[in-house]
Amino acid sequence: MAQQVKAVVARAKGAPVEVTTIVVPDPGPGEAVVRIQACGVCHTDLHYREGGINDEFPFLLGHEAAGIVETVGEGVTEVAPGDFVVLNWRAVCGQCRSCQRGRPQYCFNTHNAKQKMTLLDGTELSPALGIGAFAEKTLVAAGQCTKVDPSADPAVAGLLGCGVMAGIGAAINTGNVGRGDSVAVIGCGGVGGAAVLGSRLAGAAKIIAVDIDDRKLATARKLGATHTVNSTATDAVEAIRELTGGNGADVVVEAVGRPETYKQAFYARDLAGTVVLVGVPTPEMQLELPLIDVFGRGGALKSSWYGDCLPSRDFPMLIDLYLQGRLDLGAFVSETIELDAVEQAFERMHHGDVLRSVVVL
């Protein structure tokens, strides 16, 4: 039987979000209904509200979430009612050419729930990243549910569903940061801070955090940065080179998503070093680099989508490290809020006042 629950909906471009009642259908084949316990407020949700993703309003916002599986549809074997799960937006298909080649983290045919959640009048909702978790309950594809240790704090565990995983994965999975490497991270918000944390976990010897906000640089220090650079006062490229013996960093993670900062990352890496773009650019942005520099410097220029993660592999491992006290995921939770405070949380996030506000239900 379909359920009516409270949820945060963006009805029009730029309009303040509102808490309203939505209808969540019973799960069909391959689907699950999850009772949400916590959901982080991510920049991507603000992009949806601003029409920066697409114009398929109204949007059911929220995607960085953890909760309890309530019911499952026919054929679901991955999870069962009562399981504590982190939601992910990369439900791999297992059948595409990438999956068949043993590279499911690059799956080309990820999927979401087939049924639609709706407003009370029957208007279909577009769930953010196929999840829509600023809600008491949501409907997802069962493959979007990753079972993890239930002793983890939901407010912390849910952050692996997007930004924290993107940053840790950008360093470890995409950048292949290893023991003794030098790393620079440009942009130290939630994703960049997670890249700092991931670099520390991987054993990097030198981790240089770059930002224009001293508050974020102070947080980066707590997460594992060995050096910080405020790029409003110091040329970031020169500072990174000076801190690496004039060579540049082995890996530079660009967590801003702008041409200016990408150029900094490009020229701040060592010869044959790696640049990882994990910051999300807007469609109109253009990048110009001398092709001879791209050729002559060697190395690798990579983009990192969701930290090149495989949720079934990475989420349980990172939760275990967190529970062992070896990975301070709790440092990303700046505040916990109620469902009706999402609009105000967007403002604090926009002004750089928080790493993550987390809705707790």
Side-chain angles (χ1 to χ4, degrees), residues 118 143 347 360:
T118 68
E347 283 297 314
V360 175

Side-chain angles (χ1 to χ4, degrees), residues 230-242:
N230 187 318
S231 56
T232 62
T234 305
D235 182 275
V237 175
E238 290 183 4
I240 293 168
R241 288 188 171 279
E242 183 177 346

Side-chain angles (χ1 to χ4, degrees), residues 38-239:
C39 184
V41 181
C42 177
H43 240 298
T44 302
D45 293 304
L46 182 57
H47 285 326
Y48 272 105
R49 195 203 72 175
E50 295 300 307
I53 307 294
N54 56 55
D55 60 355
E56 296 172 6
F57 290 93
F59 290 113
L60 173 59
L61 299 182
H63 60 279
E64 208 174 61
I68 303 295
V69 175
E70 184 176 85
T71 54
V72 298
E74 181 184 348
V76 173
T77 58
E78 302 99 318
V79 291
D83 284 347
F84 176 60
V85 297
V86 176
L87 299 184
N88 73 80
W89 44 272
R90 294 277 292 161
V92 301
C93 72
Q95 303 296 322
C96 71
R97 62 189 184 279
S98 185
C99 288
Q100 291 294 319
R101 295 175 69 186
R103 301 170 183 170
Q105 68 270 29
Y106 301 127
C107 177
F108 301 130
N109 193 31
T110 56
H111 54 283
N112 302 317
K114 296 291 191 296
Q115 297 183 87
K116 289 288 189 179
M117 292 176 278
T118 68
L119 298 174
L120 287 176
D121 64 5
T123 301
E124 292 187 348
L125 292 163
S126 299
L129 291 175
I131 293 177
F134 286 151
E136 295 169 325
K137 298 177 184 181
T138 193
L139 176 76
V140 294
Q144 293 179 274
C145 301
T146 304
K147 186 177 178 180
V148 299
D149 191 320
S151 59
D153 180 355
V156 172
L159 300 185
L160 290 178
C162 190
V164 171
M165 184 69 253
I168 292 176
I172 295 177
N173 296 334
T174 314
N176 295 312
V177 173
R179 293 187 302 274
D181 281 350
S182 58
V183 180
V185 177
I186 299 176
C188 294
V191 174
V196 168
L197 188 63
S199 299
R200 178 184 182 183
L201 182 66
K206 188 170 290 185
I207 305 170
I208 305 163
V210 181
D211 204 280
I212 60 174
D213 188 331
D214 285 331
R215 296 172 300 174
K216 293 181 180 178
L217 292 174
T219 300
R221 280 274 189 186
K222 295 176 183 178
L223 293 170
T226 59
H227 301 78
T228 58
V229 176
N230 187 318
S231 56
T232 62
T234 305
D235 182 275
V237 175
E238 290 183 4

Side-chain angles (χ1 to χ4, degrees), residues 237 258-268 287-289:
V237 175
R258 294 192 59 83
E260 305 94 316
T261 44
Y262 188 87
K263 286 182 180 179
Q264 289 177 333
F266 179 82
Y267 287 110
L287 175 68
E288 288 189 10
L289 284 171

Side-chain angles (χ1 to χ4, degrees), residues 239-253:
I240 293 168
R241 288 188 171 279
E242 183 177 346
L243 289 167
T244 54
N247 301 316
D250 297 310
V251 180
V252 184
V253 177

